Amino acid sequence: MSKPTVAIVGRPNVGKSTIFNRIVGERISIVEDVSGVTRDRIYSSADWLSHEFNLIDTGGIDIGDEPFLVQIRLQAEIAIEEADVIIFLTNGREGVTNADEQVAKILYKTKKPVVLAVNKVDNPEMRDMIYDFYSLGFGDPHPISGSHGLGLGDLLDSVAESFPDPSEEEIEDDVIRFSLIGRPNVGKSSLVNALLGEERVIVSDVAGTTTDAIDSTYEYDGQKYKIIDTAGMRKKGKVYENTEKYSVLRALKAIDRSDVVLIVINGEEGIREQDKRIAGYAEEAGKGILFVVNKWDALEKDEKTMNRFTEDIRKNFLFLDYAPIAYVSAKTKQRVRSLFDLIVTISENHSMRIQSSVLNEVIEDAVARNPAPSDKGRRLRIYYSTQVAVRPPAFVVFVNDTELMHFSYERFLRNRLRESFGFEGTPIRIITRARS
C-alpha cells in the first residue's frame, strides 16, 4: 500500500526545514551517508499515530538562479503535483506578506487539501497573531512553534484527517507490480517498450520527454504484471531539467506502489550520485531491487568489462549487495525477456515466509558456530526468533538485552539467513526485542 505524501510549502524564512525536522523526529543534514545510502534532506518518511507518510520540504528544491517569486511559484507547483496534502506554512511574527498571498493564489488552483500553519507562535500570549491569516482563505490557521515543538500534534491530526482513504486503492494479489527507476535518458521508456513488445511509451533522445508515469498491465508466461513507468521523473522545461532533486521526488510514489524496483543504469555513462539517491530510497522503503544496466550493446567490451562494471556497482552500492544485476539492451532486446524471471524470483523472495521451527534451527546453528562477543562481561543470549512480516521479510529476535545486539552481529545473522534461504533481491529486517 503506497504511503500518502505531504509537502511543506511557504516563502523563505518561515521555518520549513525546522518543521520538517520536527515532524521527521530527527535532524537530517543536507546529505547524510548511512551505510552507503545517500539521502536528501528534502524528503523523508514520517509517521503520526498509526499513519505513515512521506514528507517533502519544497524549500530544499534548488530552482537555480530564478527570481524570488518564480522560485516560490515553482516550489508550490511541485507540491500541488506531488503531494496528497499540503502544509502551507507562514510566519506569525511577520504577519501576512505579499509572498504569502502569492503562494495562496497558486494553492487555490489545487483540489488537494491545504492545511494552514502559522509558525513562530512560541507561547499562548502570541496566539492573537493568527487572526490575520484567515484572510488567506484556508480555514482555521494552526498556531505552531517549530523551535519549541508546540501545536504540531493538532497540525498533524488535521493533516492525517485529509489523507486519501486507503481502502480506495486496488491491490491485486496475483499481480506483480514493478517500476523502472533511474535518471533521465537511461532508457526506461525503451525498456518498457521492449518488455511489452510494443511502442506504448513515446521514446526520444531528449532527456525528460515523457512527463507522466504510465501504468501498463501485461501478462507473460502465465504471470500478470503491472509496469509502473516513471520515465517522466523530470518535467519539461529548463528549470525542472536542472533540478535533480525534483526527479527523485517523482520516483517516490512509484517506488511505494511497487513490489520490485528496477534501478536502471546507463551502461555508457556508468553510475552517478543520483542513482545512489534513488536506490537508497528503494532500500529504505523495503522493496525488492534489481539493477538493470541498459545500453550494454553500445559499449566496447572485452572479457573483463562485465566483471569490472559489477565490481563498480558493488562498491558504490554496498548496502545492496543482495540485489542481482542484469545487463541488457533495450535497443537490440538483448536479454530483456530474462528480466521477467528475475522479477518473479525477487517477488517470491520478497514474500517468503519461514516456519518458526526452521528459522530457530538456523539461528541456533549460527550462534553455536559464532557466539556473540561479550561486552563488559555480559554476552548476548538469543532465546527465540519469529517472522512477523513479509514485503520485506521481517524477523523479531528475542534476547536478554537489546543493547548487547551489536550491528555487526545483526549483520552476521542477516547474512546467515541469506545463506540458508536465499532472499536474493529483497532486503531483510531484523528487530531485536528484550524477552519480557
Side-chain angles (χ1 to χ4, degrees):
M1 187 179 298
S2 60
K3 291 185 288 189
T5 298
V6 178
I8 305 173
V9 173
R11 61 183 174 83
N13 302 316
V14 293
K16 292 189 292 294
S17 296
T18 302
I19 297 300
F20 175 89
N21 287 328
R22 279 281 184 184
I23 294 175
V24 169
E26 57 181 314
R27 295 197 62 80
I28 297 179
S29 57
I30 290 174
V31 175
E32 176 185 15
D33 286 322
V34 180
S35 303
V37 179
T38 304
R39 180 166 36 174
D40 282 311
R41 178 186 60 79
I42 60 169
Y43 69 85
S44 185
S45 297
D47 61 82
W48 176 245
L49 302 178
S50 59
H51 301 282
E52 291 188 359
F53 57 95
N54 294 317
L55 187 66
I56 302 171
D57 172 10
T58 59
I61 300 173
D62 181 15
I63 309 293
D65 299 325
E66 297 297 320
F68 175 77
L69 288 177
V70 173
Q71 292 201 32
I72 292 175
R73 175 174 60 79
L74 290 171
Q75 288 167 1
E77 286 175 352
I78 287 170
I80 288 173
E81 186 166 354
E82 301 305 326
D84 297 298
V85 183
I86 297 167
I87 297 175
F88 178 15
L89 193 64
T90 58
N91 183 340
R93 292 183 181 177
E94 296 179 1
V96 178
T97 67
N98 289 335
D100 291 329
E101 291 174 348
Q102 291 290 329
V103 175
K105 286 179 182 177
I106 298 162
L107 295 182
Y108 292 152
K109 301 173 187 176
T110 184
K111 296 179 181 178
K112 296 176 180 178
V114 177
V115 181
L116 178 61
V118 182
N119 193 21
K120 305 189 181 182
V121 181
D122 296 335
N123 59 63
E125 289 74 32
M126 302 171 71
R127 289 179 69 91
D128 288 348
M129 292 177 172
I130 71 170
Y131 296 115
D132 287 347
F133 291 89
Y134 277 95
S135 66
L136 293 173
F138 292 104
D140 294 335
H142 290 268
I144 62 172
S145 170
S147 57
H148 297 92
L150 301 174
L152 289 179
D154 290 340
L155 172 66
L156 290 173
D157 283 343
S158 292
V159 169
E161 286 171 5
S162 303
F163 284 158
D165 184 353
S167 63
E168 295 176 2
E169 188 174 354
E170 286 188 28
I171 299 295
E172 301 163 275
D173 290 334
D174 60 339
V175 176
I176 298 175
R177 293 165 292 276
F178 70 90
S179 55
L180 294 92
I181 306 296
R183 294 178 294 109
N185 213 28
V186 295
K188 296 184 297 296
S189 295
S190 300
L191 264 177
V192 171
N193 289 336
L195 284 165
L196 296 174
E198 58 183 290
E199 296 295 316
R200 190 175 295 200
V201 179
I202 297 170
V203 178
S204 166
D205 290 332
V206 181
T209 52
T210 310
T211 58
D212 294 300
I214 304 166
D215 288 1
S216 301
T217 303
Y218 187 71
E219 185 168 335
Y220 177 72
D221 202 17
Q223 173 63 56
K224 294 178 182 177
Y225 300 88
K226 181 166 282 188
I227 306 175
I228 302 164
D229 173 37
T230 55
M233 287 196 336
R234 287 187 183 180
K235 287 187 67 173
K236 289 180 181 177
K238 174 178 69 71
V239 170
Y240 291 98
E241 291 296 321
N242 295 325
T243 308
E244 281 203 351
K245 289 180 180 178
Y246 176 68
S247 68
V248 177
L249 294 180
R250 294 284 288 166
L252 300 192
K253 281 189 178 180
I255 290 173
D256 275 335
R257 293 174 56 215
S258 303
D259 303 310
V260 180
V261 174
L262 278 59
I263 299 170
V264 185
I265 296 172
N266 186 330
E268 291 183 291
E269 297 178 358
I271 298 161
R272 297 288 186 267
E273 194 63 31
Q274 192 179 346
D275 296 324
K276 296 184 188 179
R277 290 194 181 97
I278 293 166
Y281 184 80
E283 199 281 336
E284 192 177 283
K287 303 301 180 178
I289 294 175
L290 168 63
F291 286 109
V292 179
V293 182
N294 191 26
K295 306 189 181 183
W296 196 241
D297 61 300
L299 272 71
E300 290 187 17
K301 296 179 282 292
D302 57 35
E303 67 277 5
K304 296 182 180 178
T305 304
M306 188 177 289
N307 286 339
R308 284 195 295 266
F309 210 106
T310 298
E311 287 175 9
D312 199 27
I313 289 176
R314 295 306 182 206
K315 183 175 67 176
N316 280 279
F317 299 92
L318 294 173
F319 58 106
L320 293 177
D321 57 353
Y322 56 82
I325 305 169
Y327 294 87
V328 305
S329 167
K331 184 177 180 180
T332 67
K333 298 183 172 55
Q334 180 186 19
R335 289 191 288 270
V336 168
R337 289 283 163 171
S338 67
L339 295 177
F340 283 116
D341 290 336
L342 286 167
I343 290 166
V344 169
T345 298
I346 293 169
S347 177
E348 289 174 348
N349 291 338
H350 197 228
S351 304
M352 188 189 299
R353 284 196 180 275
I354 308 298
Q355 280 187 337
S356 293
S357 58
V358 178
L359 174 66
N360 281 280
E361 282 180 18
V362 169
I363 296 291
E364 287 169 14
D365 181 67
V367 172
R369 289 169 182 259
N370 181 21
S374 60
D375 182 8
K376 297 177 183 176
R378 301 187 66 218
R379 188 181 297 276
L380 176 75
R381 291 187 62 188
I382 297 177
Y383 298 113
Y384 183 74
S385 305
T386 187
Q387 185 171 357
V388 293
V390 295
R391 296 183 181 180
F395 304 89
V396 169
V397 179
F398 292 95
V399 300
N400 55 332
D401 187 342
T402 57
E403 293 186 4
L404 295 174
M405 176 68 88
H406 194 266
F407 74 88
S408 60
Y409 200 72
E410 182 180 307
R411 183 174 58 206
F412 160 71
L413 293 176
R414 190 179 293 111
N415 290 339
R416 189 71 186 90
L417 291 174
R418 291 195 184 281
E419 289 171 17
S420 301
F421 305 113
F423 287 124
E424 182 185 30
T426 180
I428 298 172
R429 305 291 191 239
I430 292 182
I431 305 153
T432 308
R433 288 188 183 153
R435 188 176 72 171
S436 56

